[in-house]
């Protein structure tokens, strides 16, 4: 499958108040975050997609991490119900944009008490792996799989213990290749894929995105970059240091479809 569209949202100044598990990394520098966001958009355009750039939302510090607000499949879009309290309203804010691409019959919702964030969803063809995390609960996964099955797609749950979202630690880069780190290296769910193992000291770079044959890799992770190039991919690197301070990676910053 090729992607034609990408949705991103500019970071807000309130970004400095975003959720983080790593306060020791310091607060993001807003100006640098903006520059990195420009570079991210440029990298996506280089991959041949149309980029819709939404304006910053000051009331939601984490709102640039649009991936968590919706899951877009080739059959329709699912509006999430984010499990993080301060982020929950971001899904509603995304809905009008989703409606520009999909009609009523092709939009579904995750509703309370179900919660689900897109960072927990990994698309592998017509199958979707869903991480059961602090943000995505059993009921959210049940609803999600029911919606997928109604569209002729499938899903399965992957429990996770140590990372924020499923895609913090595992990402599919097409052609049967999967980037795996930490707790995901040995998971039976991924046994059938060609695993590219991410070393612990470069764990952050498990979160790369495949966009139409090119893999976008975070800057500063040379082992991962080399392994991906050795697997035959063209690569583009983008510095995401300011987003990393908030546990955000390359996939978090866009919806790709
Ligand atoms: C959060 O904790 O929700 C944000 N600071 C980071 C979200 C990262 N999103 C993603 O992995 N899809």
């Amino acid at each position: 499958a090729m992607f034609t569209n990408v949705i991103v949202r500019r970071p807000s100044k309130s970004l400095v108040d975003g959720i983080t598990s790593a306060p020791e990394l310091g607060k993001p520098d807003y100006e640098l975050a903006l520059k990195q966001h420009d570079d991210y958009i440029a990298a996506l355009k280089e991959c041949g997609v149309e980029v819709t750039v939404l304006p910053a939302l000051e009331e939601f510090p984490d709102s640039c991490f649009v991936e968590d607000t919706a899951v877009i499949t080739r059959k329709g879009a699912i509006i999430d119900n984010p499990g993080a309290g301060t982020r929950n309203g971001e899904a509603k804010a995304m809905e009008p944009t989703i409606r520009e691409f999909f009609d009523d019959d092709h939009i579904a919702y995750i509703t309370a008490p179900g919660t689900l964030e897109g960072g927990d969803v990994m698309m592998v063809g017509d199958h979707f792996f869903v991480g059961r995390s602090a943000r995505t609960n059993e009921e959210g996964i049940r609803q999600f799989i029911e919606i997928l099955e109604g569209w002729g797609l499938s899903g399965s749950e992957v429990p996770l213990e140590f990372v924020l979202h499923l895609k913090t630690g595992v990402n599919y880069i097409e052609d049967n290749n999967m980037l795996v780190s930490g707790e995901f290296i040995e998971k039976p769910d991924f046994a059938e894929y060609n695993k590219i193992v991410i070393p612990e000291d470069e764990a952050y770079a498990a979160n790369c995105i495949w966009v139409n044959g090119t893999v976008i890799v975070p800057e500063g992770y040379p082992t991962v970059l080399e392994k991906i190039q050795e697997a035959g991919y063209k690569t583009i690197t983008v510095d995401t240091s300011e987003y990393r301070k908030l546990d955000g990676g390359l996939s978090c910053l866009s919806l790709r479809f």
Side-chain angles (χ1 to χ4, degrees):
M2 296 284 277
F3 294 124
T4 48
N5 286 293
V6 171
I7 300 170
V8 302
R9 185 182 289 290
R10 297 298 275 167
S12 53
K13 295 195 181 80
S14 59
L15 182 72
V16 295
D17 299 317
I19 307 169
T20 182
S21 67
E24 70 279 5
L25 296 178
K27 296 232 182 235
D29 174 326
Y30 171 66
E31 293 300 328
L32 184 52
L34 271 181
K35 197 221 161 253
Q36 292 178 350
H37 204 258
D38 290 338
D39 295 345
Y40 181 69
I41 292 169
L44 289 166
K45 287 184 174 163
E46 234 182 279
C47 300
V49 292
E50 185 79 35
V51 184
T52 300
V53 183
L54 303 177
L57 285 179
E58 288 300 334
E59 62 272 45
F60 297 113
D62 286 293
S63 53
C64 59
F65 300 117
V66 288
E67 178 176 65
D68 296 317
T69 66
V71 175
I72 305 187
T73 75
R74 67 179 182 85
K75 294 295 188 75
I78 298 166
I79 312 281
D80 297 341
N81 189 30
T86 59
R87 300 202 56 195
N88 189 258
E90 292 175 29
K92 261 238 141 347
M94 181 57 72
E95 196 177 332
T97 307
I98 301 286
R99 289 195 173 277
E100 289 175 20
F101 295 94
F102 295 91
D103 61 27
D104 267 355
D105 295 342
H106 298 89
I107 298 183
Y109 297 84
I110 304 298
T111 56
T115 65
L116 185 134
E117 295 189 357
D120 277 316
V121 177
M122 178 170 67
M123 178 174 76
V124 179
D126 281 346
H127 186 79
F128 293 75
F129 290 99
V130 195
R132 184 159 163 186
S133 69
R135 304 287 182 84
T136 296
N137 67 16
E138 185 180 13
E139 171 59 13
I141 296 173
R142 191 199 62 73
Q143 292 177 19
F144 184 71
I145 293 176
E146 191 172 273
I147 296 164
L148 290 175
E149 289 178 349
W151 289 344
L153 308 170
S154 63
S156 60
E157 174 180 322
V158 182
L160 43 106
E161 285 175 73
F162 302 114
V163 291
L164 172 63
H165 287 125
L166 179 68
K167 281 186 294 190
T168 309
V170 54
N171 285 270
Y172 186 59
I173 55 170
E174 304 296 319
D175 310 305
N176 209 47
N177 294 320
M178 203 170 267
L179 303 175
V180 290
S181 72
E183 62 187 292
F184 302 104
I185 298 170
E186 300 298 338
K187 282 238 198 280
D189 311 64
F190 309 128
E192 65 181 276
Y193 301 99
N194 174 41
K195 290 185 258 182
I196 299 177
V197 176
I198 307 298
E200 200 50 46
D201 62 337
E202 293 191 17
Y204 174 76
N207 188 268
C208 293
I209 50 173
W210 177 96
V211 188
N212 301 342
T214 296
V215 178
I216 307 180
V217 182
E219 197 164 295
Y221 302 88
T223 309
V224 175
L225 182 65
E226 195 179 301
K227 285 190 182 206
I228 293 172
Q229 288 172 340
E230 275 169 7
Y233 294 97
K234 176 174 182 269
T235 57
I236 303 176
T237 59
V238 174
D239 194 355
T240 52
S241 64
E242 302 317 289
Y243 301 98
R244 183 187 177 186
K245 293 174 181 174
L246 301 178
D247 305 317
L250 288 162
S251 78
C252 318
L253 289 168
S254 60
L255 286 167
R256 303 163 298 280
F257 56 103

